[in-house]
């Protein structure tokens, strides 16, 4: 029997046992060793995820080992892997062009399909990426959120000499900060309301941090970059942070909307027009896993510093709730089946 966390509906989590099924052609059975709790899992648990299908096993950030591969699945038992949790049609224009996140039929493990918060999971071999065998499973699980950060950095055009402001220093903000440093950004401002996260942002390479409960982000940003920042990332997604992001951006700069707002927001178009800003959306990733794996493996993106809590599978409900209840303490929560 295979144990799995089962979210029957908002706030209802059970540990269930299931009979393992046989592999189909092109599938791989994985033993899950670590699964990260994402903000989307917290939203799913709270009933705020707009795309969630209940009941479902959550978990899309996976570190695992191969148990067995079906036919046409050339992966050896024992290999350590991570998983790109997008299941796509493979036939549409987006899939043919490698833009998997734009597939109109894309389904995400842990959202539309059962995810990895279980002893085992069966996935298409095409979604499995091998990682160095000496990479700990928890780091392998952190490849997925790092790929999110790589994708948004690519969308924003971050590179050598970029000046960058990050509003929101949760996991993706802290990973984006490190990707930007690795790619040569020269001035990074981090803005948040949680002192513990700001301290970690500074530790990980932010050149200046701003607690916007007591400090004026625009004033601090102007002191750091008088002409404004080349790129501003909004990882919060409220009316207030959208306004602040436009204020921090330089004329001709780029504003990247990373967060998915859970309620309608207002957006004043005038600063966008006056500064001729580029407004950029970002969602998931496409070919970004190939860049994320060496960043994590080399330590250029230090993921261990983000992991604050670990739980066994039978405490999955606590893991899911803690990540939403204690933002100052719980940065990245890991479940170890």
């Amino acid at each position: 029997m295979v144990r799995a966390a089962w979210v029957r509906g908002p706030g209802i989590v059970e540990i269930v046992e299931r009979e393992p099924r046989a592999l189909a052609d092109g599938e791989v059975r994985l033993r899950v060793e670590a699964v990260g709790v994402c903000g989307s899992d917290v939203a799913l648990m709270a009933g705020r995820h707009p795309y969630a299908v209940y009941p479902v096993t959550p978990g899309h950030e996976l570190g695992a080992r191969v148990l067995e591969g079906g036919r046409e699945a050339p992966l050896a038992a024992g290999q350590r892997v991570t998983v790109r949790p997008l299941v796509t049609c493979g036939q549409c224009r987006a899939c043919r062009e490698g833009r998997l996140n734009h597939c109109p039929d894309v389904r995400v493990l842990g959202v539309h399909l059962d995810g990895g918060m279980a002893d085992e999971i069966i996935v298409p071999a095409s979604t499995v990426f091998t990682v160095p065998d000496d990479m700990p499973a928890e780091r392998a699980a952190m490849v997925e959120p790092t790929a999110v950060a790589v994708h948004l950095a690519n969308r924003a055009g971050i590179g050598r000499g970029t000046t960058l402001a990050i509003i929101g220093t949760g996991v993706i903000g802290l990973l984006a900060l490190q990707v930007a440093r690795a790619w040569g950004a020269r001035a990074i401002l981090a803005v948040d309301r949680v002192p513990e996260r700001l301290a970690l942002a500074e530790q990980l390479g932010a050149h200046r941090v701003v607690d916007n409960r007591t400090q004026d982000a625009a004033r601090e940003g102007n002191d750091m970059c008088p002409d404004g920042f080349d790129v501003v990332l909004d990882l919060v997604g409220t009316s207030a942070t959208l306004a602040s992001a436009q204020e921090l951006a330089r004329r001709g700069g780029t504003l990247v909307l990373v967060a998915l707002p859970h309620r309608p927001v207002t957006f004043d178009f005038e600063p966008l027009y006056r500064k001729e800003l580029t407004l950029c959306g970002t969602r998931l990733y496409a070919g970004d896993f190939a860049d994320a794996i060496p960043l994590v493996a080399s330590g250029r993106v230090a993921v261990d510093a983000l992991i604050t809590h670990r739980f066994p599978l039978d405490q999955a409900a606590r893991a899911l709730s803690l990540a939403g209840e204690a933002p100052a303490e719980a940065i990245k929560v890991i479940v170890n089946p």
Side-chain angles (χ1 to χ4, degrees), residues 60 65 181 326:
H60 58 271
R65 284 198 185 272
R181 283 294 301 265

PDB file of all heavy atoms in Angstrom, residues 60 65 181 326:
ATOM      1  N   HIS A  60       4.152  19.659  -5.597  1.00  0.00           N
ATOM      2  CA  HIS A  60       4.729  19.682  -6.942  1.00  0.00           C
ATOM      3  C   HIS A  60       6.228  19.983  -6.925  1.00  0.00           C
ATOM      4  O   HIS A  60       6.841  20.060  -7.978  1.00  0.00           O
ATOM      5  CB  HIS A  60       4.005  20.709  -7.821  1.00  0.00           C
ATOM      6  CG  HIS A  60       4.039  22.102  -7.272  1.00  0.00           C
ATOM      7  ND1 HIS A  60       3.071  22.567  -6.405  1.00  0.00           N
ATOM      8  CD2 HIS A  60       4.901  23.117  -7.436  1.00  0.00           C
ATOM      9  CE1 HIS A  60       3.351  23.817  -6.068  1.00  0.00           C
ATOM     10  NE2 HIS A  60       4.464  24.175  -6.683  1.00  0.00           N
ATOM     11  N   ARG A  65      13.744   9.294  -5.922  1.00  0.00           N
ATOM     12  CA  ARG A  65      14.580   8.314  -6.601  1.00  0.00           C
ATOM     13  C   ARG A  65      13.694   7.434  -7.473  1.00  0.00           C
ATOM     14  O   ARG A  65      12.540   7.148  -7.120  1.00  0.00           O
ATOM     15  CB  ARG A  65      15.356   7.457  -5.611  1.00  0.00           C
ATOM     16  CG  ARG A  65      16.554   8.180  -4.978  1.00  0.00           C
ATOM     17  CD  ARG A  65      17.534   7.209  -4.365  1.00  0.00           C
ATOM     18  NE  ARG A  65      18.616   7.884  -3.661  1.00  0.00           N
ATOM     19  CZ  ARG A  65      19.751   8.278  -4.222  1.00  0.00           C
ATOM     20  NH1 ARG A  65      19.937   8.074  -5.519  1.00  0.00           N
ATOM     21  NH2 ARG A  65      20.687   8.865  -3.506  1.00  0.00           N
ATOM     22  N   ARG A 181      21.812  37.675  -8.624  1.00  0.00           N
ATOM     23  CA  ARG A 181      23.220  37.821  -8.229  1.00  0.00           C
ATOM     24  C   ARG A 181      24.105  36.927  -9.091  1.00  0.00           C
ATOM     25  O   ARG A 181      25.171  37.336  -9.549  1.00  0.00           O
ATOM     26  CB  ARG A 181      23.398  37.462  -6.751  1.00  0.00           C
ATOM     27  CG  ARG A 181      22.958  38.516  -5.754  1.00  0.00           C
ATOM     28  CD  ARG A 181      23.807  39.776  -5.827  1.00  0.00           C
ATOM     29  NE  ARG A 181      25.217  39.538  -5.571  1.00  0.00           N
ATOM     30  CZ  ARG A 181      25.811  39.673  -4.389  1.00  0.00           C
ATOM     31  NH1 ARG A 181      25.099  40.065  -3.336  1.00  0.00           N
ATOM     32  NH2 ARG A 181      27.098  39.454  -4.235  1.00  0.00           N
ATOM     33  N   ALA A 326       2.552  31.037   9.857  1.00  0.00           N
ATOM     34  CA  ALA A 326       3.745  31.617  10.499  1.00  0.00           C
ATOM     35  C   ALA A 326       4.751  32.080   9.451  1.00  0.00           C
ATOM     36  O   ALA A 326       5.819  31.481   9.300  1.00  0.00           O
ATOM     37  CB  ALA A 326       4.378  30.589  11.430  1.00  0.00           C
TER      38      ALA A 326
END
